């Protein structure tokens, strides 16, 4: 059969990225202690396409995914992009793997345990040098300092989402970034809370009012002190309870040591 | 050209509904005072298909939509389903039109005006008798009575959504149902609030704690007193600020007079 | 601490459903052969609330979920709704669990294996009698019979989704319904296809043109012949490649034996 | 009342972006000929926040939006970002306005008219210099050249989406980019097609097979010849009909004259 994709292209236009996206696939994610979590991944894989080729061979992306689905770690992401480069004869390859990840949490007073869902993304790219970004999105609570200050009682509060992306010097794991996010907000968000826990979180939030601007800065202060991190982007999006829209703040920073 | 859809089908299976969905179309919605709001509608139109026909003629749905896009009122929905029945030679036709609709609101203290988005759906069906349901989804705030009662200060609150569906004896307009939803919650949600308004809404919510169960009952009490309404379904979904999930309540009722 | 939810309500309005929704939770789904698939579930749990109670105890839903997350089968769904009824002292309880489920498939010519994602939902309710519905949504391809007939060459085709809901006399498993859906369409959809497979599927679809009306009837014929099934609803939604909207068909049927 | 946002912040961290997002608002978009289209916009507005300020004043974003909602053109976007900079005393401001926009189209043979929905985004930013990007997303059809070549009959085809972002020397309007997208694909996608039109589009697609790589290059060739454009990014995402995932290609280019 004719290899239409492999034909010579004369339009003289290199393509930055060509590949597959929205691939829903079962994956086994291993943390640094070799614990496995079986997750449902949404995968995007792509390569750059030199100007002389008409197309790439899309099925080879899936073949590479098939081979590595049983074990997906921060350690073998470079192998995956290397495999893509080789299988597709490409100068550059990229992979992005998004998945819901569950961390076990205990309620603050009762100790009742439940899972919190964290949205995680591994992103890796390689031309000559390997580049990797770990992203986590963590649900938290924000309580408005202005509302608390100006009102005689109460203060509006709401669910917000802290997103942290990092490039690292040494491995930082998902749970580390979840802690940073939760400590920087007015209060954490948990799936199972008994009445005594609800009381504790309500009071904690009232004692820790935070604008989205505050949360983003608190995250920044914590990440600046972490020698394992060399770059980060943090954004906080708050589903305002007095509005039908979101408030957000974001910042991006390279960290040099000693830090500011 | 051969009319493949019009061919005789021998599988002996009538089809309940066949049609088009997800049709994004510009529509002019007229309220009872003949005011026009230009909206982006998402339309589903369908008919029943008797067992003897292989298929329906999908393009005719769009022709009917084209004809009525300039004027879409509660008054001409019956004409639309009649046109579908006739154009598609069908014993039964159905149309559902969902669109964002904007109501003008003033902030409680400053009087500053802005728009609140309401999600509206018109649903109509006709076999022999015409049936019509108006649905509105209204953003509101809920403040948790339990959290307020058990905590020394503060109370968790969040954005919630009140959905009201009604069948009517006499016309009830969108704005009427928006008012019912807002009055039944802890506080309304507005797009533009100055500081004095934020103070007012924070305090209002604190003084009106409501579970989703309370909101659904408060809506129910109000609708029971409205002689224009003969059936309703109300549901309240609250984006809990201490959890990463929703709390919800719903009920459905035929209203007979005198009411309960 | 005061039990605000447990207080007596005097508004005299029973609530049909009150509970939690959008709960993202890791679950272990067991098939009839005791094989386990670790999935990310989205859970809704609710009970009916008699008129005398102000609210339900939302945390108990999560406690029940926590207890059964390790093992979720069609066999223990009744235990879950029974536990909800008991823990929440409710006359009626309902649970709906949606999750992506992966089935292993071989390409038709090369035999190359990959996973196909199926969207599954378990729904169960119990007042006095236990009721259960299994729902699967299967991606397939449809090729338009009209387009093929009237065009000199080619025929438009597209991805579609077959949704089958069933109530059963005897256990029908997910894989059974996936097969019914795929055999009823123009061709199956697979994640990994080598060139020889792409050729095979392209030709298969061209030889099996199907309107959404045809697919829904073909599914119906197959389910009518299956003695394990007592009720079903099937709908097919096709992402038309010549339009920016969907075509759909649906029907619902109780199956009595001998069938039509 | 205390101005909590205006307080001095000592954490020494400037914030890149702070503002509101997901604001759903009715807007009047004017094209170059002063024709008005009433649209439902989703708006994000933000400013940079110097390190000395604790927070920004979120309500002022909405006040600016309120003022300009009646008239939103490519011409007055700079006024909007200037107003944001002034009202919020910010060194830099950004606005992004996404909305569905409808273009009137005639079917190729019957001439039957209908609307095609285009997703448009205006993005503007200003620190010292004003920067503006127009983005359109256009539905099209792609027919696979490989599938056509290797199969004895037929060829898989599907709906795809061409996204074009441009920075301009001189005004390029939405309709211009829609034409570029449609001419670069296998065939356009229309809402209303009579049978003769369906035949025409089916045959047109079969005679113009295009990989996503081809479409992205065809768009690139057309934009390279347009002297009004100084930068563009184009991406094509195809909802593969033989897979349950997407194929995509993208490229970004500054255009210098004479072009390549």
């Amino acid at each position: 059969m004719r290899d239409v994709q492999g034909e010579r292209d004369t339009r003289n236009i290199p393509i930055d990225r060509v590949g597959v996206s929205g691939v829903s696939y079962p994956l086994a994610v291993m943390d640094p202690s070799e614990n496995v979590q079986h997750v449902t991944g949404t995968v995007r894989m792509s390569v750059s396409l030199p100007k002389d080729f008409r197309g790439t061979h899309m099925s080879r992306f899936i073949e590479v995914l098939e081979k590595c689905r049983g074990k997906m770690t921060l350690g073998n992401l470079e192998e995956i992009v290397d495999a893509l480069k080789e299988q597709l004869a490409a100068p550059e390859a990229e992979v992005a793997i998004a998945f819901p990840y569950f961390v076990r949490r205990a309620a603050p007073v009762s100790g009742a345990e439940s899972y919190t869902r964290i949205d995680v993304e591994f992103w890796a790219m390689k031309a000559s040098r390997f580049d990797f970004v770990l992203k986590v999105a963590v649900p938290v609570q924000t309580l408005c300092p202005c509302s608390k200050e100006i009102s005689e009682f109460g203060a509006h509060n709401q669910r917000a989402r802290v997103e942290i992306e990092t490039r690292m010097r040494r491995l930082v794991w998902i749970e580390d970034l979840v802690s940073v996010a939760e400590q920087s907000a007015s209060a954490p968000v948990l799936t199972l809370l008994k009445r005594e826990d609800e009381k504790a979180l309500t009071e904690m939030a009232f004692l820790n009012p935070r604008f989205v601007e505050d949360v983003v800065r608190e995250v920044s202060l914590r990440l600046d002190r972490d020698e394992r991190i060399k770059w980060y982007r943090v954004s906080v999006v708050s589903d305002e309870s007095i509005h039908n829209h979101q408030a957000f703040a974001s910042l991006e920073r390279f960290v040099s040591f000693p830090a500011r």
Side-chain angles (χ1 to χ4, degrees), chain A:
Chain A
M1 279 183 283
R2 211 174 114 199
D3 178 3
V4 185
Q5 284 90 342
E7 286 171 5
R8 191 174 172 79
D9 202 275
T10 59
R11 284 167 289 196
N12 201 31
I13 304 174
I15 298 181
D16 297 343
R17 312 238 65 82
V18 51
V20 293
S21 62
V23 184
S24 192
Y25 229 68
L27 300 171
V29 176
M30 296 181 76
D31 72 17
S33 335
E34 302 276 303
N35 295 314
V36 169
Q37 189 165 132
H38 297 275
V39 305
T40 296
T42 301
V43 181
R44 184 181 77 234
M45 304 174 109
S46 69
V47 292
S48 56
L49 186 72
K51 65 181 174 53
D52 296 332
F53 294 94
R54 179 160 183 203
T56 193
H57 293 86
M58 299 281 185
S59 66
R60 296 183 193 168
F61 290 105
I62 307 297
E63 288 176 319
V64 170
L65 179 62
E66 251 296 299
K67 260 175 212 144
C68 65
R69 74 185 155 82
K71 189 188 166 190
M72 184 73 68
T73 70
L74 297 192
N76 76 345
L77 277 169
E78 187 163 2
E79 294 167 35
I80 295 173
V81 287
D82 280 337
L84 289 178
K85 286 180 65 175
E86 193 191 312
Q87 293 298 314
L88 291 144
E92 192 176 299
E94 177 206 36
V95 61
I97 303 168
F99 54 91
Y101 182 86
F102 293 91
V103 296
R104 195 81 181 147
R105 309 299 311 276
V109 181
S110 72
E113 294 200 351
S114 64
Y115 282 105
T116 294
R117 173 187 169 140
I118 307 300
D119 286 295
V120 176
E121 187 172 327
F122 293 167
W123 176 87
M125 175 145 85
K126 190 173 183 182
S128 52
R129 249 168 40 95
F130 179 67
D131 189 15
F132 170 69
V133 173
L134 170 63
K135 179 178 180 179
V136 302
V138 184
V140 299
Q141 190 185 350
T142 56
L143 184 139
C144 180
C146 171
S147 170
K148 175 181 173 180
E149 176 64 32
I150 63 180
S151 306
E152 292 199 37
F153 29 75
H156 76 82
N157 52 75
Q158 54 269 316
R159 208 192 298 163
R161 203 162 73 132
V162 177
E163 297 184 357
I164 303 175
E165 293 169 87
T166 57
R167 285 189 169 86
M168 311 163 187
R169 285 177 230 281
R170 292 202 321 279
L171 186 67
V172 177
W173 192 237
I174 295 167
E175 280 78 357
D176 300 325
L177 298 176
V178 171
S179 296
V180 166
E182 293 187 340
Q183 290 162 14
S184 302
S186 295
V189 156
L190 291 165
T191 304
L192 176 53
L193 295 170
K194 301 304 295 176
R195 212 157 346 161
E196 56 270 35
D197 305 310
E198 182 174 359
K199 171 178 159 61
L201 285 193
T202 300
E203 294 169 357
M204 178 193 299
F206 198 78
L207 295 173
N208 290 287
R210 293 272 195 277
F211 290 125
V212 289
E213 294 94 324
D214 291 317
V215 181
V216 99
R217 278 173 168 145
E218 291 298 315
V219 170
S220 179
L221 285 175
R222 280 172 176 80
L223 296 180
D224 280 350
R225 286 194 298 260
D226 191 329
E227 299 196 12
R228 298 171 299 177
I229 290 170
K230 64 179 174 199
W231 169 91
Y232 61 85
R233 184 189 292 134
V234 52
S235 79
V236 179
V237 184
S238 177
D239 295 337
E240 297 296 284
S241 62
I242 58 170
H243 298 304
N244 199 21
H245 57 255
Q246 285 77 53
F248 77 97
S250 67
L251 65 85
E252 180 178 345
R253 233 176 94 79
F254 283 92
V255 186
S256 47
F257 277 88
R260 59 189 167 203

